[in-house]
Amino acid sequence: MKFLRVYLNRLQNLPDAHDTVVVIDVLRSFTTAAVALHRGATAIYPVEGVSAGIVLAGQLDRAVSVGAIEGGDPAPGFEYGNSPAALLTADLAGRPVVMSTAAGVRGLQRFRQARQLYAASLVCARATAEAIRRSGAEEVCFVITGEWVDRDGDEDVACADFIEALLRGEPVVPADFARRVRESDFGRRFVAGTWPNLPLADLELAAQVDRFDFAMPVVREGERMLIR
């Protein structure tokens, strides 16, 4: 099995990955998506753009809208911000979720033509590795979405390192990867307490390695993408 890393926000020509692509957004999109599925959401519809998200939410029966703009502030017109902790008590059972975020969702859209596409975070990392192994993937491309000019993105790199180590059969110490999430540039903003829309509860949840036992494959339904 071959491994490749790309960084979504670098000024480079991103390669076309045709086999298996794992788009990682630990803080917070795909931690939020995992919580939503755990709470009984029927599917997550990742939509690029706030306006498009609002439109789709209006077309789906009993849809719940979840999203944030660049920097982590809640998307205007959405019911929930991109906060996994806030969804822990949300009424999502049997309901679709429309998600629009600045990083993770954009990564999924960029690599939507991959043979196999996964949304991933640390809370479901081992299940993601197991799903990839069962699929017989020959090449795995990890897409790091959290690196920006003011963020090292190490929370996502840590998740990629963890999944790759599992696929290689290497020993892992989960606490080491959880620590990297907390100590990443973005993680420290949650700890600082000066960003009202970056609650510490979100960071603590996102750092829980393998909290959930399911992977999050992304499928296409016509022009729409779904995480199930």
Side-chain angles (χ1 to χ4, degrees):
M1 192 179 295
K2 298 179 180 179
F3 299 97
L4 175 69
R5 303 275 177 103
V6 299
Y7 293 78
L8 185 65
N9 299 308
R10 291 188 183 182
L11 296 176
Q12 61 181 9
N13 292 321
L14 299 181
D16 289 325
H18 297 291
D19 188 2
T20 298
V21 176
V22 183
V23 180
I24 301 174
D25 192 335
V26 172
L27 291 172
R28 295 166 285 175
S29 296
F30 299 146
T31 302
T32 300
V35 171
L37 293 174
H38 173 71
R39 292 290 299 165
T42 56
I44 313 291
Y45 290 80
V47 178
E48 191 170 4
V50 172
S51 297
I54 292 174
V55 170
L56 180 57
Q59 296 173 344
L60 300 174
D61 185 41
R62 301 178 65 236
V64 178
S65 55
V66 174
I69 57 177
E70 189 172 321
D73 290 338
F78 280 51
E79 295 172 70
Y80 292 93
N82 184 22
S83 171
L87 294 189
L88 282 174
T89 58
D91 177 19
L92 302 179
R95 305 176 69 181
V97 170
V98 175
M99 171 177 279
S100 180
T101 63
V105 167
R106 187 160 55 88
L108 292 181
Q109 294 289 348
R110 171 62 181 81
F111 290 93
R112 63 184 298 148
Q113 299 303 322
R115 182 179 70 85
Q116 294 186 116
L117 182 62
Y118 295 90
S121 59
L122 208 55
V123 295
C124 55
R126 189 177 299 271
T128 303
E130 291 172 354
I132 292 170
R133 185 180 292 108
R134 289 194 302 268
S135 74
E138 296 182 356
E139 181 177 90
V140 180
C141 175
F142 296 103
V143 180
I144 309 301
T145 68
E147 184 197 60
W148 299 73
V149 293
D150 59 343
R151 289 166 46 182
D152 60 11
D154 196 50
E155 70 277 7
D156 292 346
V157 177
C159 184
D161 289 347
F162 185 72
I163 295 173
E164 182 173 331
L166 292 172
L167 290 171
R168 291 182 182 275
E170 299 172 352
V172 293
V173 180
D176 292 345
F177 299 91
R179 173 184 50 77
R180 286 173 60 184
V181 170
R182 296 189 182 95
E183 294 180 357
S184 66
D185 286 346
F186 200 31
R188 288 197 294 269
R189 295 185 191 179
F190 291 80
V191 176
T194 57
W195 302 72
N197 292 311
L198 302 180
L200 183 59
D202 282 357
L203 176 65
E204 292 304 316
L205 203 163
Q208 293 180 21
V209 182
D210 298 329
R211 175 178 175 131
F212 304 118
D213 63 357
F214 54 81
M216 296 190 292
V218 183
V219 299
R220 291 186 294 274
E221 188 178 81
E223 293 299 314
R224 296 173 179 170
M225 301 177 70
L226 289 80
I227 304 172
R228 284 195 169 126

